[in-house]
Amino acid sequence: MATRERQRRFEIVPMKADDLDDIMEIERHSFRAPWSRQVFVEELDRDWAHVDVLKERRGDTAVLAFVNYWLVRDEVHVLNVAAHPEARRNGHASRLLEHVIAFANRHKCRYVTLEVRRSNAGAIRLYGKYGFRPVGVRPNYYVEDNEDAIVMLLELSTPV
Ligand SMILES: CC(C)(COP(=O)(O)OP(=O)(O)OC[C@H]1O[C@@H](n2cnc3c(N)ncnc32)[C@H](O)[C@@H]1OP(=O)(O)O)[C@@H](O)C(=O)NCCC(=O)NCCS
């Protein structure tokens, strides 16, 4: 399928309360210590927080992937990105990252940052493709199993 046709096939829109069941299912399949439903509900009320979902534009409106990020001054911090296990390696996380980077550029941010498990080679590769580089380590960051987090940073061109 041509790239433009594929792009039209999907939409990225702000999460609604109706999406929470789908998000919780992806969350449960994706993380050792999944966040609770309440965490996502609270995000809806924070001015600086965004949870955006990727869906097929038509037909089945199930959430295929989502991203949670915060705008803090000149930085966008990505808290969470995940795709449904049956929808992985289809470019959905890439679409969401491009969406977040475009958001950061529109808001004249200097940085996009995130933490990732040291062992999460797939995610580290994905972020590397978009120019994120490792800039530090937070030892024992993931308290459920004491795994280190790698801090990754994408520097955006400085606004003039
Ligand atoms: C990591 C994750 C978000 C990637 O989502 P995705 O929609 O499958 O990613 P994409 O299809 O956009 O992948 C883009 C590229 O990233 C890299 N990549 C993604 N997953 C990979 C994996 N499991 N192994 C190796 N490389 C991987 C590849 O380079 C891939 O390009 P390719 O498919 O052409 O080889 C998904 O596997 C996931 O939800 N994992 C569990 C949650 C998680 O770990 N989130 C990251 C937290 S920091």
Side-chain angles (χ1 to χ4, degrees), residues 121-141:
I124 291 171
R125 186 157 171 218
L126 164 72
Y127 301 137
K129 279 189 167 180
Y130 284 91
F132 286 83
R133 59 188 171 83
V135 291
V137 176
R138 295 193 201 280
N140 309 318
Y141 181 77

Side-chain angles (χ1 to χ4, degrees), residues 9-146:
R9 198 173 141 197
F10 302 107
E11 63 178 3
I12 298 173
V13 292
M15 169 184 77
K16 297 202 186 88
D18 281 356
D19 297 321
L20 278 166
D21 286 346
D22 290 351
I23 287 178
M24 291 314 298
E25 190 187 332
I26 295 173
E27 187 72 15
R28 277 194 297 274
H29 281 102
S30 299
F31 298 105
R32 252 170 262 182
W35 288 353
S36 69
R37 197 180 181 91
Q38 187 58 24
V39 170
F40 289 96
V41 170
E42 286 168 9
E43 288 294 83
L44 285 169
D45 284 335
R46 294 190 174 110
D47 288 344
W48 60 90
H50 299 259
V51 182
D52 293 338
V53 297
L54 183 149
K55 298 177 172 187
E56 290 258 9
R57 216 177 269 281
R58 291 195 200 119
D60 183 3
T61 56
V63 175
L64 298 172
F66 69 90
V67 62
N68 179 198
Y69 54 100
W70 285 3
L71 173 62
V72 185
R73 297 178 70 91
D74 62 351
E75 178 181 330
V76 167
H77 185 70
V78 179
L79 291 94
N80 210 345
V81 55
H84 192 284
E86 287 166 20
R88 288 183 188 161
R89 302 307 282 268
N90 280 309
H92 295 326
S94 300
R95 290 183 186 94
L96 288 169
L97 271 186
E98 286 166 22
H99 167 80
V100 170
I101 294 166
F103 171 92
N105 276 317
R106 279 201 308 281
H107 286 81
K108 303 200 183 320
C109 291
R110 292 167 63 94
Y111 310 107
V112 184
T113 59
L114 54 86
E115 282 100 14
V116 58
R117 280 178 180 269
R118 194 189 274 284
S119 65
N120 196 345
I124 291 171
R125 186 157 171 218
L126 164 72
Y127 301 137
K129 279 189 167 180
Y130 284 91
F132 286 83
R133 59 188 171 83
V135 291
V137 176
R138 295 193 201 280
N140 309 318
Y141 181 77
Y142 299 97
V143 290
E144 58 276 15
D145 55 10
N146 291 326

